[in-house]
Amino acid sequence: MSHPGTDEPAAAVLELRELSRTHGTGPAAVHALRGVHMTVRAGEFVAVMGPSGSGKSTLLTLAGGLDTATGGEVLVEGQALGQLKRAQLAKLRRTSIGYVFQDYNLIPALTAAENIALPRELDGVRQRTARREALAALEEMGLAEVADRFPDEISGGQQQRVAIARALVGDRRLLLADEPTGALDTETSDAVLALLRRRSDQGAAVVLVTHETRFAAWADRVVFLRDGTVVDESAASSAESLLTGEGAR
Amino acid sequence: MSIRFGLLALLDQGPRYGSQLRAEFESRTGTTWPLNIGQVYTTLGRLERDGLIRPEGGGDAKQQLYAITEEGRRSLVEWFDSPVDRTQPSRDELAIKLAMAVGTPGVDLREVIQRQRRHTLSAMRDYTRLKADAMNADRSRPESADSDPDDVAWLLVLEQLIFYAEAEVRWLDHCEARLVRLAAQRAERGGRAGGPPAADEAPPRPVARKGASS
């Protein structure tokens, strides 16, 4: 990845250095991630694949500052997350990082548009501006008609798209998506992937966790994890056999 | 066969020149199956011979306008009404290559699979890029305008390529998993026979004779 017209590599938006996450201690310790290195630059779209339990979601929660590493560090736009105060981390998460969860995490008492506008308002954007941005984000997801409905009044697929719109609203430089197409039909999934691709082409760094080769094909690069370590760093290795672990010798 | 009916389907929408048919065929299918103008005229000649199209007006061979006949229309309806035959699969080079690689000395079958997978995944990414472009083009059309049938057709063709590539990758993964399993079984048998463990053996070249594992 480079800036147009130069040979300079684009700035690293996300850097994982020797990143580890262990749950528990002693013989019962579970090593979810073991010394993972990864750099995602501005304008780069990276897919992360691997079998269940390989550490994909852990990698994403650490990258998004939602969990704390037990070793190594996460840098977002050059800032080491472990060295930020809680308020600074919260601000970084609100302004720079868009996170699409496997479950939607919408606030039931707020309408679709309010759910999307909330993080912007928390960040000091005027209510009217935040509302306008939220409506534009809903429009982009083809959901303008549900703006004033509550989460329990819309379908699972629509809730998922509202959650995606919330993650993408504003100028997020790092987009993290964990199986964002789970509840969606193939056509809507394509629309979501196309949207992530567009954001990446516009300069965002995108990390997508998926188990579908067809979705990973939207990315510039595929990182394969197994047992908490990176086993391959391109689209070159077996997708399915890495996923099922059958390829392990 | 597909070119014949492809041209017939285009002529069903009104009389056309050969060069026009070629351009329309390609814009429907991208340049996935490029047509040379010679193929178009040969096919038109056969369609005319079979009474499915007829020349309209004057003009020389290269500037001839063609129209579909009633017989041609019946033939086209029949084509749309019947499924494409999948019981007579065309020869697939990859299947032949893998079949030949099994048991061929000096050929590392897993390496053959790996190289193919790398290539197919890369093709899948290229197709997905084209699909993203096509989807972006469709997004930028005014809301009042219908999708261009050529754009829709191109997207369908691209998606077929993507789904087929995905199926091929899954098949390659499956082949590899089977080779790994056969190698493990072989190593186990070797172990039981008192030989050295074969875990560090070079990638296995399986013996896939029928009944070998029974």
Side-chain angles (χ1 to χ4, degrees):
Chain A
M1 283 296 114
S2 61
H3 288 301
T6 74
D7 291 332
E8 288 290 301
V13 177
L14 173 67
E15 281 179 83
L16 309 182
R17 292 182 182 164
E18 207 49 47
L19 192 65
S20 298
R21 178 69 172 100
T22 305
H23 302 282
T25 52
V30 176
H31 302 283
L33 276 190
R34 310 162 187 253
V36 168
H37 278 279
M38 184 167 142
T39 301
V40 187
R41 299 184 181 280
E44 198 178 19
F45 186 160
V46 176
V48 178
M49 301 185 82
S52 336
S54 60
K56 306 186 296 285
S57 294
T58 303
L59 183 151
L60 218 57
T61 50
L62 290 173
L66 301 170
D67 186 15
T68 312
T70 48
E73 55 182 358
V74 177
L75 284 83
V76 174
E77 299 191 301
Q79 302 182 75
L81 299 191
Q83 287 167 19
L84 295 179
K85 297 203 175 74
R86 267 177 62 179
Q88 290 173 311
L89 181 61
K91 182 163 194 295
L92 184 74
R93 277 206 305 259
R94 276 200 315 272
T95 55
S96 294
I97 306 176
Y99 200 113
V100 185
F101 300 90
Q102 264 173 320
D103 40 16
Y104 326 127
N105 285 340
L106 295 177
I107 300 171
L110 299 181
T111 65
E114 287 164 352
N115 260 286
I116 297 167
L118 181 65
R120 302 293 289 153
E121 287 179 43
L122 286 176
D123 205 44
V125 171
R126 286 175 52 194
Q127 198 179 14
R128 196 187 295 174
T129 310
R131 161 102 185 158
R132 200 176 55 234
E133 286 177 353
L135 294 179
L138 281 169
E139 175 89 43
E140 196 171 17
M141 295 303 304
L143 280 178
E145 73 283 2
V146 307
D148 296 317
R149 291 209 234 146
F150 292 93
D152 65 357
E153 296 172 342
I154 60 182
S155 72
Q158 287 172 327
Q159 288 182 43
Q160 176 68 326
R161 281 186 285 160
V162 170
I164 293 165
R166 181 185 53 190
L168 300 183
V169 74
D171 177 29
R172 314 291 180 99
R173 270 91 70 197
L174 176 59
L175 300 176
L176 305 170
D178 193 353
E179 302 280 7
T181 53
L184 306 178
D185 58 53
T186 54
E187 205 175 346
T188 316
S189 298
D190 275 349
V192 170
L193 268 314
L195 184 56
L196 291 175
R197 181 74 253 178
R198 271 203 300 284
R199 288 304 175 94
S200 146
D201 290 342
Q202 289 161 2
V206 178
V207 183
L208 164 75
V209 164
T210 181
H211 63 275
E212 296 258 10
T213 318
R214 194 158 37 85
F215 297 152
W218 286 84
D220 300 305
R221 181 156 71 85
V222 183
V223 170
F224 289 97
L225 289 183
R226 191 195 291 144
D227 300 331
T229 54
V230 175
V231 290
D232 195 28
E233 271 242 33
S234 67
S237 190
S238 155
E240 194 80 6
S241 60
L242 284 169
L243 291 184
T244 56
E246 282 173 332
R249 271 182 275 178
Chain B
M1 202 51 138
S2 50
I3 296 175
R4 182 179 163 93
F5 285 107
L7 297 187
L8 216 47
L10 293 171
L11 286 171
D12 191 38
Q13 292 165 27
R16 279 158 168 74
Y17 295 102
S19 53
Q20 215 178 341
L21 287 167
R22 177 194 178 195
E24 286 185 36
F25 185 90
E26 289 195 350
S27 68
R28 287 273 172 125
T29 57
T31 42
T32 317
W33 301 286
L35 267 188
N36 68 48
I37 196 70
Q39 271 172 299
V40 173
Y41 287 117
T42 311
T43 309
L44 287 172
R46 288 185 188 141
L47 286 167
E48 187 184 348
R49 179 198 66 198
D50 298 342
L52 305 183
I53 61 172
R54 59 181 153 69
E56 280 225 326
D60 57 42
K62 303 249 152 153
Q63 277 304 319
Q64 184 62 62
L65 194 60
Y66 287 96
I68 193 166
T69 62
E70 268 318 301
E71 182 61 28
R73 226 164 244 135
R74 270 197 296 278
S75 179
L76 182 64
V77 167
E78 205 178 301
W79 184 59
F80 279 127
D81 283 350
S82 29
V84 172
D85 187 11
R86 295 298 193 207
T87 59
Q88 302 285 325
S90 56
R91 278 190 289 274
D92 182 87
E93 186 182 346
L94 180 57
I96 294 171
K97 187 186 277 192
L98 290 194
M100 293 302 150
V102 173
T104 301
V107 176
D108 181 345
L109 188 45
R110 287 190 72 187
E111 201 38 54
V112 173
I113 290 175
Q114 178 61 16
R115 266 197 297 271
Q116 184 65 42
R117 185 164 40 217
R118 192 178 297 137
H119 172 81
T120 306
L121 284 171
S122 148
M124 200 162 147
R125 274 211 299 267
D126 291 346
Y127 296 145
T128 304
R129 266 287 179 181
L130 290 173
K131 174 173 163 169
D133 293 346
M135 287 172 73
N136 283 340
D138 190 56
R139 266 173 60 82
S140 58
R141 110 188 111 77
E143 218 163 280
S144 54
D146 279 338
S147 291
D148 183 338
D150 281 359
D151 294 344
V152 176
W154 170 223
L155 210 50
L156 292 183
V157 169
L158 268 177
E159 285 173 337
Q160 192 228 25
L161 296 171
I162 293 168
F163 277 101
Y164 276 33
E166 184 187 33
E168 184 168 293
V169 169
R170 291 186 60 180
W171 173 60
L172 290 168
D173 290 343
H174 171 80
C175 293
E176 185 178 45
R178 164 160 294 166
L179 295 180
V180 169
R181 189 168 47 75
L182 289 173
Q185 284 173 358
R186 215 169 45 158
E188 202 177 304
R189 277 200 301 274
R192 273 205 306 269
D200 292 334
E201 220 174 57
R205 182 164 311 113
V207 180
R209 273 190 296 275
K210 279 190 185 134
S213 61
S214 60

